[in-house]
Every structure is written in C-alpha cells, then in structure tokens.
C-alpha cells in the first residue's frame, strides 16, 4: 500500500495497513469511538479470512500519539464474476471511523487508489461518513431501501420490561408457560443450533453462511460473543448470536424452527438478549436492517426500536457517481428465493456456503 502523510494540528498522520499484532490498538480505538459497532472489531476480519479466505485490508491513520481513524475492508473476488471491496461485508455497518474529516479523507484516498490500481469494479462502504468535499465529490450515497433498527436501553431490565405493551409482555411470559427454556450455549452445542439456523435460511430461500464462518465468529470474538439457545423438551428450537461492542450490542443472526413458533421461542430469545444488554450496562441494542413496513420491521418495532436511515456509499470503476434505487430488486429476489426453497435441505446446506461467501449482504 502507498503511504499518505498529512500535517494536521502539529500531528503528522500516515496511513498504515494493520497487521495481526496491532489488534489490541485497533480494538481500543473501536471500543472508544461513539459511532463504532461490534463489526468494526478485529475479530470480524479474522473470521472472514479464516472461514472464507477473503483478503481483508484494514487501514489506520496514525501519528506518534496513536490511531486517529480506521477503515476496515474486505476484498471479494471470483474470476469473471465478483471483483469488489466492501467495508464491511455480511453486516450492515463497517464504515470508516475517524476523529476528524481530514483523517477520514486520508483513509478514503488510500482506498480509492487501491481500488483504481487493482481495476476493481466496485467499492462499497456501509455506514455514514463525515460530510467532506472529498466524500461529496468521489462517493455516491446508495438508496438501500432499508433502515437500521436501534433501541436505546434504560437503566434496568425491569424498566425495559415495564415499557413494553401488555401484549408483548404476555408473549414473553407465554413462552415460559409453554416450557420453552432459554440458556447460553457453547461450541459443544453449536452443531444443533446451526441446524436451526440453516433450516430457517432454507425456508427463507437464502443460501446459508457456512458452519465454519459462524464458529469462527464465536471463536474470534470470544467473550464479546454470546450464543443464545431456546429449548423445548431438550430440543433446540431457536438460536441467536449477539456481538458486544463498546456501548452497544448487535444481533447478526437469529432463527427458530417454524413448527414451534406458536410456543414463542423468538420472543424468549430476544427478551433475554435485551435483558443481558441492559444488565451489563450497554446503552443501545442494534436489531439490524429491515425494510420499512415488512414483518421483520414490525417485529423489531414492537420492542421499542426506532428506525434510522441505513446510509451506504459506493464508487464505480470509472470513478463516476452512481445511483442505485431499490438495491434489493425485490421481484428478482423473490424468484430466486422460490427456486432455492425447492432444493432439498441437505443439498442446499452443501452448496449454499460456497455461494454465500460471495454475497456481501
């Protein structure tokens, strides 16, 4: 990578590519930045590289005083089909975090030089940026058609539970009355939990993330990840993974077996994730992205989550502005999902992960 320098308030900033031995410094910056997410942590990089083999490029702007900005990216490449840089793939946010617009622009300039030098077809950054002239001139905001659902957490789980509408409180209690049990799981129970996840993704018509990727997430994040399990008669009928950041908790994946949904395992899972977050002094819970008005949106909203725009940016290979409307292309997606649902589960679980590693959403 080329090296940029910037004199800023008597600080000489330079851009370096972070190596594994810099993980502690990287994570300290992330955990102390107000706009960070758990996906910005170095563990996301390690899981992607170990499980999927994608090259990750993690840049930092630093001076003798320490790190002043970071830009995490992953390079997804499949000859003739996929050739893109995403910051970051497989999540909603993974944008540049910086203390100033100058540090941010220095990082973005380095990324764009790499983009053009390698002849990459797309550069996508997920998350808001400081509005500078460099951003306005070189990047185009994307109309994702999605919103991010965030819940600000109160001081106690009791206060949170009492803030719910009576119907929601009854649904949580119903799961317990139906003898659905929540517990925190370990890697020894992961295979059974993954079966629930893979079956649910197949029913949704989507290729599933590989077992090795989710395991790598739990292993890389260590104490900053939790596997939650809903059991009924000793059978796992629901699962979810939460990741712990500096001030917030994110939930990238949760699934239940449809034939048991009448028992309310999803309500018990989410209540326990929220309770854990409050009891451990986190200030917000990130439910992830949704399309306004759809089922997942309504599910998240009932817990009190508020929508905020999901802002992404993109640059095409010519460097010109682009505008994408309705990125999800709903009609095409429904058609593909319908085909995928007809593939036998065992076959879908076999070939799905090979496709999913190149689908950055």
């Amino acid at each position: 990578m080329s090296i940029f320098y910037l004199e800023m308030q008597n600080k000489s900033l330079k851009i370096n590519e972070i190596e594994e031995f810099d993980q502690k410094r990287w994570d300290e910056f992330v955990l102390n930045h107000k706009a960070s997410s758990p996906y910005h942590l170095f563990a996301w990089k390690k899981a992607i590289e170990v499980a999927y083999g994608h090259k990750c490029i993690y840049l930092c702007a630093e001076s003798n005083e320490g790190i002043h900005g970071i830009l995490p990216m992953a390079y997804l490449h499949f000859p003739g089909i996929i050739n893109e840089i995403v910051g970051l793939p497989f999540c909603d946010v993974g944008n540049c975090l910086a203390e100033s617009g100058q540090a941010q622009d220095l990082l973005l300039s380095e990324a764009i030089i790499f983009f053009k030098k390698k002849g990459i077809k797309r550069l996508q950054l997920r998350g808001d940026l400081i509005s500078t002239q460099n951003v306005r001139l070189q990047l185009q905001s994307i109309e994702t058609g999605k919103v991010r659902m965030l819940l600000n957490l109160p001081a106690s789980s009791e206060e949170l539970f009492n803030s719910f509408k009576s119907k929601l409180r009854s649904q949580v209690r119903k799961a317990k009355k139906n003898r659905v049990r929540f517990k925190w799981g370990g890697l020894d129970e992961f295979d059974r939990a993954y079966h629930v996840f893979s079956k649910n993704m197949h029913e949704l018509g989507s290729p599933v993330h590989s077992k090795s990727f989710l395991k790598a997430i739990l292993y890389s994040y260590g104490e900053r990840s939790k596997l939650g399990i809903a059991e009924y008669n000793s059978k796992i009928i629901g699962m979810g993974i939460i990741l712990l950041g500096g001030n917030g908790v994110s939930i990238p994946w949760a699934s239940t077996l449809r034939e048991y949904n009448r028992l309310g395992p999803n309500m018990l899972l989410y209540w326990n994730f929220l309770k854990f977050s409050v009891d451990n002094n986190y200030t917000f819970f990130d439910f992830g992205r949704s399309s306004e008005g759809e089922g997942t949106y309504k599910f998240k909203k009932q817990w009190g989550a508020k929508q905020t725009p999901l802002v992404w940016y993109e640059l095409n290979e010519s460097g010109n502005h682009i505008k994408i409307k309705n990125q999800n292309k709903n009609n095409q997606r429904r058609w593909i999902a319908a085909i995928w649902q007809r593939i036998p589960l065992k076959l879908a679980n076999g070939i799905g992960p090979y496709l999913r590693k190149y689908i950055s959403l």
Side-chain angles (χ1 to χ4, degrees):
M1 305 291 286
S2 61
I3 300 295
F4 279 96
Y5 292 90
L6 175 67
E7 295 292 338
M8 184 184 71
Q9 299 177 344
N10 299 320
K11 297 175 183 177
S12 180
L13 291 185
K14 61 181 180 179
I15 302 299
N16 288 320
E17 186 172 354
I18 286 289
E19 304 293 341
E20 189 165 347
F21 58 81
D22 292 310
Q23 176 176 350
K24 183 178 179 181
R25 292 196 305 126
W26 177 283
D27 284 349
E28 284 177 354
F29 179 84
V30 169
L31 293 172
N32 287 292
H33 196 285
K34 63 180 181 180
S36 70
S37 73
Y39 307 113
H40 285 93
L41 291 170
F42 204 82
W44 197 255
K45 173 184 187 292
K46 293 170 73 172
I48 289 173
E49 290 183 334
V50 168
Y52 285 156
H54 298 311
K55 165 67 176 174
C56 290
I57 306 155
Y58 274 41
L59 303 179
C60 74
E62 58 183 330
S63 70
N64 292 333
E65 297 179 9
I67 294 177
H68 299 270
I70 62 165
L71 177 54
M73 301 175 292
Y75 180 33
L76 277 60
H77 180 256
F78 188 89
I81 301 177
I82 306 292
N83 188 24
E84 61 185 18
I85 293 177
V86 185
L88 281 165
F90 317 129
C91 61
D92 306 328
V93 290
N95 53 314
C96 180
L97 300 176
E99 295 176 349
S100 66
Q102 294 98 323
Q104 171 191 273
D105 285 355
L106 204 61
L107 287 160
L108 293 177
S109 295
E110 177 69 16
I112 291 170
I113 283 180
F114 180 80
F115 168 83
K116 293 179 178 179
K117 181 180 178 181
K118 297 291 186 181
I120 296 167
K121 294 189 178 298
R122 186 173 72 160
L123 168 64
Q124 186 178 89
L125 302 176
R126 298 178 175 177
D128 210 354
L129 297 170
I130 301 170
S131 181
T132 64
Q133 185 177 13
N134 188 40
V135 170
R136 291 190 294 272
L137 288 176
Q138 301 205 64
L139 299 175
Q140 173 67 42
S141 60
I142 300 174
E143 297 180 17
T144 64
K146 299 283 187 178
V147 293
R148 192 178 176 200
M149 301 296 288
L150 302 174
L151 173 64
N152 291 323
L153 300 172
S156 70
S157 53
E158 181 181 5
E159 182 181 348
L160 177 62
F161 192 78
N162 290 335
S163 72
F164 298 153
K165 292 182 179 179
S166 58
K167 180 180 178 181
L168 180 59
R169 295 198 301 268
S170 296
Q171 288 175 320
V172 174
R173 294 188 182 108
K174 176 184 175 182
K176 296 178 180 179
K177 290 179 181 178
N178 287 332
R179 294 181 289 110
V180 180
R181 186 171 71 95
F182 174 86
K183 69 176 184 179
W184 297 109
L187 287 175
D188 58 321
E189 295 177 289
F190 179 79
D191 286 353
R192 291 196 298 142
Y194 181 80
H195 170 73
V196 174
F197 176 65
S198 64
K199 189 171 187 293
N200 181 61
M201 295 308 297
H202 179 252
E203 290 171 347
L204 292 173
S206 176
V208 66
H209 272 298
S210 71
K211 187 183 295 186
S212 61
F213 179 59
L214 268 64
K215 273 189 174 180
I217 290 291
L218 293 172
Y219 182 80
S220 298
Y221 275 84
E223 294 181 355
R224 290 196 170 274
S225 66
K226 302 284 285 183
L227 171 63
I229 289 173
E231 278 190 339
Y232 178 70
N233 291 339
S234 300
K235 178 179 181 177
I236 295 179
I237 62 171
M239 60 78 70
I241 292 175
I242 57 173
L243 304 177
L244 318 178
N247 296 316
V249 175
S250 296
I251 179 164
W253 305 289
S255 291
T256 58
L257 295 177
R258 291 189 179 186
E259 57 266 36
Y260 292 95
N261 280 350
R262 59 185 173 76
L263 301 178
N266 55 338
M267 310 306 294
L268 192 62
L269 280 171
Y270 273 85
W271 163 242
N272 278 277
F273 293 149
L274 291 169
K275 184 177 185 301
F276 171 87
S277 302
V278 175
D279 291 344
N280 286 275
N281 302 314
Y282 289 96
T283 59
F284 72 91
F285 189 89
D286 182 1
F287 284 86
R289 67 176 180 262
S290 290
S291 295
E292 189 173 356
E294 291 189 353
T296 57
Y297 172 88
K298 294 175 182 178
F299 176 82
K300 297 166 185 178
K301 189 176 180 180
Q302 71 180 333
W303 298 96
K306 305 296 183 183
Q307 69 182 59
T308 184
L310 186 60
V311 181
W312 291 359
Y313 294 87
E314 195 161 300
L315 180 78
N316 67 7
E317 58 185 326
S318 66
N320 296 326
H321 290 327
I322 60 172
K323 190 166 186 176
I324 299 176
K325 290 185 178 180
N326 192 15
Q327 180 176 309
N328 296 288
K329 301 178 181 178
N330 290 331
N331 290 335
Q332 182 181 3
R333 186 176 180 181
R334 282 194 288 267
W335 178 73
I336 294 173
I339 294 175
W340 193 261
Q341 289 166 340
R342 290 179 172 85
I343 298 175
L345 177 60
K346 187 174 181 180
L347 178 59
N349 285 347
I351 63 177
Y354 291 101
L355 300 175
R356 189 64 180 87
K357 66 183 288 187
Y358 294 108
I359 302 172
S360 66
L361 293 174

